[in-house]
Amino acid sequence: MRLPEAPTKAISLGARGFRHGRSKQWFQGPPGGRQRYQRPSTMKTRVASALLCACITAFKPLSAQAPRPRSAVTHIVVDADQGRDTISRHIYGQFAEHLGRGIYDGVWTREGSGAWHLRDDVIAALRRIQVPNVRWPGGCFADYYHWRDGIGPAARRPRMVNTIWGNVVEDNSFGTDEYIELVVRIGAEPFVVGNVGTGSPREMAEWWEYINHPGGSSIADERNANGHAAPYNVRRIGVGNESWGCGGAMRPEFYADQYRRFAEFLRPFNDSTRPFRIATGPNVDDYNWTDVVMREAGRMIDGLDLHYYTVVGPWAHKGSATQFSEREWFLAAKGALRMNELVTRHAAIMDKYDPRKRVALIVGEWGMWHDVEPGTNPGFLYQQNTLRDALVAAITLDIFNNHADRVRGANIAQMVNVLQSMILTRGPQMLLTPTYHVFDFYTVHHDALLLPITIENAGYYVLGADSIPAVSATVSRDQRGVVHVTMSNVDPTQPRTIVAELRGVSATSAAGRILTAPAINSYNSFEQPDVVHPTAFTGARVENGSLTVTLPPKSVIVLELR
Ligand code: AHR
């Protein structure tokens, strides 16, 4: 572990870096991102509202508070009889871009037979976490991608240079039909992103026809000739990606018009193919983007795609995924908590134009973005994944769950071998990351009823002069009537006692699993793939209508109440 603290002045949380000149490689910063440096002073006051949704009652801006004791008991009230919103399983979506080893090696391999095929081991692992949808083919790649390059006999598919991700040659062996086979085998729904940046409304409409028309048209018959008689019935379609940056560097006014033009030609062929059209949403805190796009095109939008990454440090030195100090651990958690502010404020703007919340906020890209692993291609965004990533995932998923009324989809970036992955592969080997285990825990919330919680005496994790809420949670009731709790304690040294008053729950016991590890930077490697793994949790009991949990430091738990 690296001990010296990161220089606070240089730290920017969630900053998206800067736009690059044409000749620059994307990996010197995020593709097409705008300059977005977080002002630390504003962070201090805003981040405090991020814990446990908007339900914190005993809350003052952190900067106005005296230092808090570290070991106070956290009291939570669960109003199980007042659930209203369903937690969409689509919050647990994945993202697979033609980037680095995300597709090639990650899910599509020549290992074994020498011929391209899907990886059974990766698919089996993804099935276990019940992936609801997979966003594809990008990301930035989507606005370079021409779907026709990826259909028909593999040997005849054109080869292109993937100029945005490392200048590697893309042989298009993984295209639309292979992607659909992947999602079907995972048990997920497709979520395709169409090309607005270098494409046309005609190209996007014809792709829609290829994937969805039942047959009889030349394009649908082409799908049939490629071995797929039945339409794929795709509903989710992104109309461009990051159109404010790598997707075309557009102003929101221009994009809104483009959106309307492209979206107009995505028409249903029947009830199974009514499109769920997802517009490029804001870059982090670009509230003007949300305002303009909702005002000008909201009527035609089904989902608005917000992107926000948790970055510790400036883009040029984001820091190692595995070698970090406690301060960098703290800043990662603080960066993750910022999602609450972003979701709350974008949702409030959406409310202005869409008070009935018809339009979903889809957080189509989120997660931790570190420096790449030493010795790996900087264009491939390959990073390790520690217990810190797991805590960031738990905090973020709790925020999404607790905004279930508006956040009805999200896609962590990315599924395999890229950024904050579920799975890493090396040749025929595969390992599950700490983040995977969090997604596994949180399957209990898929399509469950969110049960409102109110937190009193929130415990705080204090580091130097700064502090953040230590405990994060979601409580839900599934379709069988079983209540589940997920909780995390981000404080790496102090345990927390949580006493939850269970109103409207008639449970007498609680049992579950815990994810923790010896160190804040513990991770699973190909040599030691099981350092961070779930174990049985015995620190919870139910007595007289109250759940008492002793949450160890740096841990995430899932509980079932019986
Ligand atoms: O996930 C990596 C990249 O980050 C995506 O391609 C892009 O949309 C975002 O900037």
Side-chain angles (χ1 to χ4, degrees):
M1 196 189 307
R2 178 153 55 87
L3 288 173
E5 287 195 356
T8 39
K9 267 183 113 177
I11 284 163
S12 63
L13 292 169
R16 292 303 314 270
F18 38 85
R19 182 179 297 153
H20 301 288
R22 211 160 35 94
S23 61
K24 297 233 177 139
Q25 287 295 306
W26 65 271
F27 51 77
Q28 292 165 304
R34 295 171 175 178
Q35 185 144 14
R36 290 228 174 272
Y37 289 104
Q38 182 57 48
R39 294 181 306 280
S41 57
T42 56
M43 277 298 294
K44 250 192 175 168
T45 49
R46 287 180 189 164
V47 79
S49 64
L51 184 72
L52 292 166
C53 75
C55 308
I56 300 172
T57 51
F59 166 73
K60 288 186 203 161
L62 290 179
S63 54
Q65 292 183 347
R68 287 148 295 270
R70 287 180 139 208
S71 55
V73 172
T74 298
H75 290 281
I76 295 178
V77 176
V78 180
D79 285 304
D81 44 1
Q82 286 176 33
R84 186 195 60 187
D85 301 311
T86 297
I87 299 171
S88 171
R89 69 182 186 284
H90 290 290
I91 284 175
Y92 297 86
Q94 299 286 331
F95 173 29
E97 179 166 12
H98 287 243
L99 191 180
R101 298 190 304 111
I103 300 289
Y104 302 100
D105 284 357
V107 293
W108 189 237
T109 182
R110 281 187 158 128
E111 288 286 337
S113 65
W116 285 119
H117 62 278
L118 291 170
R119 285 187 74 129
D120 295 333
D121 54 349
V122 170
I123 288 172
L126 293 170
R127 283 191 76 83
R128 285 201 295 276
I129 54 170
Q130 300 168 34
V131 174
N133 71 73
V134 181
R135 184 172 181 259
W136 175 85
C140 294
F141 185 76
D143 284 288
Y144 292 76
Y145 186 63
H146 300 288
W147 68 272
R148 279 202 162 277
D149 294 349
I151 58 165
R156 281 204 243 132
R157 296 186 190 178
R159 294 151 71 88
M160 68 183 279
V161 181
N162 187 339
T163 49
I164 186 127
W165 302 122
N167 278 329
V168 292
V169 173
E170 161 68 61
D171 71 1
N172 278 303
S173 58
F174 188 91
T176 301
D177 300 318
E178 292 77 21
Y179 161 72
I180 296 289
E181 187 188 343
L182 171 72
V183 293
V184 167
R185 287 194 53 199
I186 293 174
E189 285 180 30
F191 171 1
V192 295
V193 181
N195 181 343
V196 170
T198 62
S200 65
R202 176 178 177 173
E203 182 181 10
M204 199 184 291
E206 289 185 349
W207 196 20
W208 188 249
E209 186 174 332
Y210 182 84
I211 52 188
N212 280 337
H213 194 273
S217 78
S218 301
I219 291 178
D221 289 352
E222 220 175 325
R223 184 192 65 236
N224 191 6
N226 290 335
H228 306 279
Y232 294 138
N233 295 341
V234 177
R235 300 251 350 254
R236 292 179 174 250
I237 180 161
V239 179
N241 167 75
E242 297 195 351
S243 306
W244 36 260
C246 66
M250 302 175 202
R251 294 175 304 112
E253 292 79 3
F254 183 77
Y255 174 72
D257 283 347
Q258 290 297 309
Y259 176 86
R260 290 162 58 135
R261 182 164 164 250
F262 278 72
E264 177 62 27
F265 298 102
L266 298 172
R267 302 200 178 119
F269 301 115
N270 47 46
D271 280 353
S272 314
T273 54
R274 196 168 44 76
F276 186 88
R277 297 171 298 191
I278 299 171
T280 285
N283 175 23
V284 190
D285 57 359
D286 186 348
Y287 299 112
N288 182 52
W289 182 279
T290 300
D291 196 81
V292 173
V293 171
M294 283 299 293
R295 186 184 70 223
E296 301 300 335
R299 193 179 50 80
M300 294 174 71
I301 295 174
D302 300 300
L304 187 71
D305 180 6
L306 160 69
H307 289 186
Y308 168 64
Y309 286 93
T310 303
V311 183
V312 177
W315 275 99
H317 303 286
K318 293 179 283 294
S320 162
T322 57
Q323 305 302 304
F324 53 85
S325 62
E326 186 183 341
R327 176 146 189 83
E328 289 162 306
W329 161 280
F330 177 93
L331 288 171
K334 188 167 176 175
L337 285 164
R338 188 175 180 218
M339 186 66 88
N340 193 59
E341 169 200 327
L342 296 173
V343 164
T344 304
R345 296 187 65 181
H346 286 296
I349 295 166
M350 293 172 79
D351 285 350
K352 249 192 349 181
Y353 301 102
D354 175 35
R356 298 179 68 182
K357 301 185 192 295
R358 182 190 62 79
V359 182
L361 184 58
I362 308 279
V363 188
E365 290 184 28
W366 68 273
M368 290 213 74
W369 192 322
H370 308 293
D371 288 340
V372 297
E373 284 304 299
T376 64
N377 186 330
F380 282 13
L381 307 189
Y382 176 75
Q383 64 189 41
Q384 251 295 354
N385 195 298
T386 68
L387 188 64
R388 176 173 66 165
D389 297 84
L391 266 294
V392 163
I395 290 168
T396 307
L397 292 170
D398 285 333
I399 291 168
F400 294 158
N401 292 340
N402 285 298
H403 284 276
D405 60 338
R406 185 64 90 169
V407 179
R408 300 197 292 271
N411 301 80
I412 188 167
Q414 298 194 2
M415 191 161 74
V416 188
N417 290 335
V418 176
L419 299 175
Q420 189 174 347
S421 309
M422 304 296 111
I423 291 171
L424 301 177
T425 68
R426 185 173 71 180
Q429 290 175 283
M430 174 196 97
L431 65 80
L432 306 177
T433 65
T435 301
Y436 175 95
H437 295 302
V438 171
F439 271 72
D440 186 21
F441 282 12
Y442 278 64
T443 55
V444 297
H445 297 310
H446 291 203
D447 290 338
L449 184 70
L450 175 71
L451 303 183
I453 50 182
T454 309
I455 188 166
E456 294 153 3
N457 308 334
Y460 283 82
Y461 164 30
V462 183
L463 190 73
D466 213 348
S467 59
I468 53 174
V471 177
S472 170
T474 302
V475 185
S476 72
R477 178 183 274 126
D478 71 13
Q479 283 154 9
R480 297 167 304 147
V482 179
V483 173
H484 292 99
V485 180
T486 51
M487 253 182 212
S488 62
N489 173 15
V490 76
D491 191 323
T493 57
Q494 302 297 314
R496 302 276 152 188
T497 300
I498 293 102
V499 178
E501 185 188 331
L502 303 171
R503 295 186 186 158
V505 185
S506 57
T508 52
S509 67
R513 290 183 291 162
I514 181 166
L515 188 73
T516 185
I520 55 175
N521 64 341
S522 292
Y523 63 94
N524 295 334
S525 66
F526 291 100
E527 292 69 36
Q528 291 184 290
D530 238 6
V531 172
V532 189
H533 67 276
T535 54
F537 181 64
T538 52
R541 63 174 200 281
V542 180
E543 261 171 12
N544 305 324
S546 277
L547 167 71
T548 304
V549 180
T550 307
L551 209 48
K554 54 177 171 32
S555 67
V556 184
I557 61 163
V558 57
L559 292 176
E560 179 168 315
L561 307 188
R562 288 283 180 184

